[in-house]
């Protein structure tokens, strides 16, 4: 899951990046509205955390411009304390939710989970594909009730595959959603992760159908 944070207060922006990084999100940060808008239209994000007051271009304008361009990435707007009018305007401009600064990090995480949850995901944040289960809150992966140990990146990788189960994903799509902008990732890194995930989630379960499939010439599919 890859998130864009547009916030001109460096301290807030960097602490969000650090905190979300620990929660297995790939995070890009920018400090001006114009950079934020440019990244939002060129890169592939799962969510944007957007401050309202920004140099260059304000949050409302960014929101309106993205929606006008038919870009429907969930947007969580950050507003200053007590500015009810800002919240109303934010939602009118196409934001999906807002959070008042200062906020508790736990609340930010809860909002992110709510905004990135697909309708068929269960409320308790567990993703399921066949007999494979992934708890995105406790970071636990299980197949046939056997716990699978995953590294932090393997977990994010598998989460992305599970959220897009039964869809063919190209290596570039996977890179765009699992790693942040600064990460220097080659497509064969994806192959290495696929190999490791197969070793952990498919190989030990010889009586189950392998879940990770290679679609030759295109990419991979889970399911
Ligand atoms: Ca600001």
């Amino acid at each position: 899951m890859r998130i864009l944070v547009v916030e001109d207060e460096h301290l807030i922006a960097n602490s969000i990046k650090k905190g979300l990084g620990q929660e297995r999100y790939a995070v890009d940060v920018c400090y001006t509205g114009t950079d934020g808008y440019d990244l939002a239209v060129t890169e592939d994000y799962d969510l944007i955390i957007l401050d309202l007051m920004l140099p260059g271009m304000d949050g409302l304008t960014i929101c309106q411009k993205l929606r006008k361009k038919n870009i429907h990435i969930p947007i969580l707007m950050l507003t200053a304390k007590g500015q009810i009018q800002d919240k109303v305007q934010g939602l009118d401009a196409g934001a999906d939710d807002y959070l008042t600064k200062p906020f508790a990090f736990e609340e930010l995480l809860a909002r992110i989970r709510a905004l990135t949850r697909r309708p068929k995901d269960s409320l308790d944040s567990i993703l399921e594909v066949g007999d494979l289960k992934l708890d995105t809150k406790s970071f636990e992966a299980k197949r046939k009730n056997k716990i699978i140990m995953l590294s932090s990146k393997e977990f994010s990788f598998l989460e992305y595959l599970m959220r897009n189960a039964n869809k063919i994903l190209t290596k570039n799509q996977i890179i765009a959603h699992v790693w942040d902008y600064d990460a220097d990732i080659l497509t064969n890194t994806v192959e290495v992760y696929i190999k490791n995930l197969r070793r952990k989630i498919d190989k030990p379960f010889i009586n189950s159908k392998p879940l990770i499939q290679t679609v030759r010439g295109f990419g991979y599919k889970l399911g």
Side-chain angles (χ1 to χ4, degrees), residues 6-9 51-55 101:
V6 193
E7 163 66 87
D8 58 320
E9 286 170 71
D51 187 31
L52 192 61
M53 302 293 283
L54 290 164
K101 290 193 278 191

Side-chain angles (χ1 to χ4, degrees), residues 11-190:
L11 222 63
I12 297 179
N14 297 338
S15 76
I16 293 176
K17 179 178 167 82
K18 195 172 165 225
L20 291 181
Q22 285 165 354
E23 300 289 326
R24 276 81 162 172
Y25 293 101
V27 183
D28 292 336
V29 167
C30 60
Y31 308 105
T32 69
T34 29
D35 285 351
Y37 177 77
D38 288 346
L39 279 173
V41 295
T42 50
E43 296 293 316
D44 228 346
Y45 293 103
D46 300 292
L47 178 91
I48 303 174
I49 298 174
L50 185 60
D51 187 31
L52 192 61
M53 302 293 283
L54 290 164
M57 193 190 296
D58 66 78
L60 282 181
T61 309
I62 295 174
C63 218
Q64 282 162 343
K65 286 183 73 167
L66 291 178
R67 296 316 189 215
K68 234 174 247 166
K69 268 183 106 80
N70 262 327
I71 295 175
H72 295 289
I73 312 163
I75 295 176
L76 175 62
M77 193 84 101
L78 300 180
T79 66
K81 204 178 175 190
Q83 290 169 283
I84 300 287
Q85 196 50 40
D86 289 349
K87 296 169 187 169
V88 175
Q89 280 182 334
L91 295 174
D92 282 348
D96 299 275
D97 199 359
Y98 59 82
L99 194 56
T100 305
K101 290 193 278 191
F103 49 82
F105 193 69
E106 274 306 312
E107 182 164 16
L108 177 69
L109 288 179
R111 302 292 176 97
I112 292 172
R113 279 196 294 267
L115 287 174
T116 54
R117 189 184 290 139
R118 293 183 315 165
K120 74 186 191 73
D121 291 346
S122 59
L123 283 173
D124 54 1
S125 68
I126 292 174
L127 301 171
E128 270 189 85
V129 177
D131 50 10
L132 179 66
K133 278 187 195 169
L134 199 68
D135 189 330
T136 58
K137 218 172 164 184
S138 68
F139 299 120
E140 199 172 67
K142 276 184 183 171
R143 189 162 187 193
K144 288 186 176 290
N145 289 321
K146 193 172 167 279
I147 291 180
I148 300 165
M149 302 301 286
L150 298 173
S151 73
S152 155
K153 230 9 163 194
E154 285 166 357
F155 188 94
S156 309
F157 196 119
L158 185 59
E159 181 185 355
Y160 181 65
L161 295 181
M162 289 182 79
R163 283 184 184 276
N164 294 283
N166 299 313
K167 275 190 234 164
I168 298 171
L169 301 166
T170 65
K171 286 177 190 170
N172 284 328
Q173 267 175 315
I174 295 170
I175 291 171
H177 286 269
V178 179
W179 280 275
D180 61 38
Y181 196 72
D182 298 327
D184 207 2
I185 298 299
L186 302 168
T187 47
N188 63 11
T189 309
V190 174

